[in-house]
Amino acid sequence: FYVLTLFLGMGAAINVGAAKISAVDAGGNMAGPLLAQYIGGGADSLLGNFFLAFVAAVAFATIVAVVAGLVLATALALAIQTATGRFLGNTIGIDLILVVVVYAALSSGPVTGLVLGTVAGIAQDAMSAGNIIGVGGLAKTVVGFLAGVIGTQFIVAHPLPRFVAFFAASLMHAALFLGIYFLVGRQIGAPFTR
């Protein structure tokens, strides 16, 4: 993939030109689509515009697939956590929603961790009896964002650094969750019960 990216970037720089690519987007992110348009015959040709539209559609489909995967993983974790809590009691000692949030943040960055932490945390709070809605969302938002920052600053692809990141995220989540309840002065309700 990286070799292909090198050839596509060089092809765009040689054929389209760095000035034209920078004129469309200062970051150079349009090099691939502009190269596709150039190969098809240029900006004024039907085939060139078709190639440009095809590359844009593939990029959009990739983004939609990633978002759908994150939504599916979050929904599945929420369903498993809720079902086991309601039918088996609170026997799961691991927060599956937090695992999904931290994994997504380490893989996709801080914005993904922030958004997924907010949505998943509020959904988990809404399904928990006796808890203040938003406390889990706030805790998972902060943890997701910080895990995403860690994922972009350090190499956490190997098992040991990833385990350390998950462990630190779990401790931080627990400290934030319990700290907010302590500040509010309320008892914590049992999550996922009727």
Side-chain angles (χ1 to χ4, degrees), residues 27-108:
N29 294 323
M30 289 294 292
L34 288 176
L35 178 62
Q37 189 178 42
Y38 174 81
I39 290 171
D44 296 329
S45 70
L46 178 65
L47 190 59
N49 288 328
F50 176 77
F51 281 179
L52 175 68
F54 181 76
V55 170
V58 168
F60 182 73
T62 303
I63 293 169
V64 169
V66 169
V67 171
L70 291 175
V71 168
L72 184 63
T74 305
L76 186 63
L78 191 60
I80 290 171
Q81 192 95 25
T82 304
T84 56
R86 288 187 189 246
F87 298 120
L88 301 176
N90 290 324
T91 57
I92 289 187
I94 190 166
D95 188 353
L96 296 176
I97 292 101
L98 181 64
V99 170
V100 170
V101 169
V102 172
Y103 179 78
L106 289 175
S107 301
S108 301

Side-chain angles (χ1 to χ4, degrees), residues 1-11:
F1 176 76
Y2 295 111
V3 174
L4 179 67
T5 305
L6 175 69
F7 284 116
L8 288 175
M10 289 301 293

Side-chain angles (χ1 to χ4, degrees), residues 3-25:
V3 174
L4 179 67
T5 305
L6 175 69
F7 284 116
L8 288 175
M10 289 301 293
I14 292 169
N15 293 316
V16 178
K20 186 173 180 185
I21 294 170
S22 296
V24 174
D25 177 39

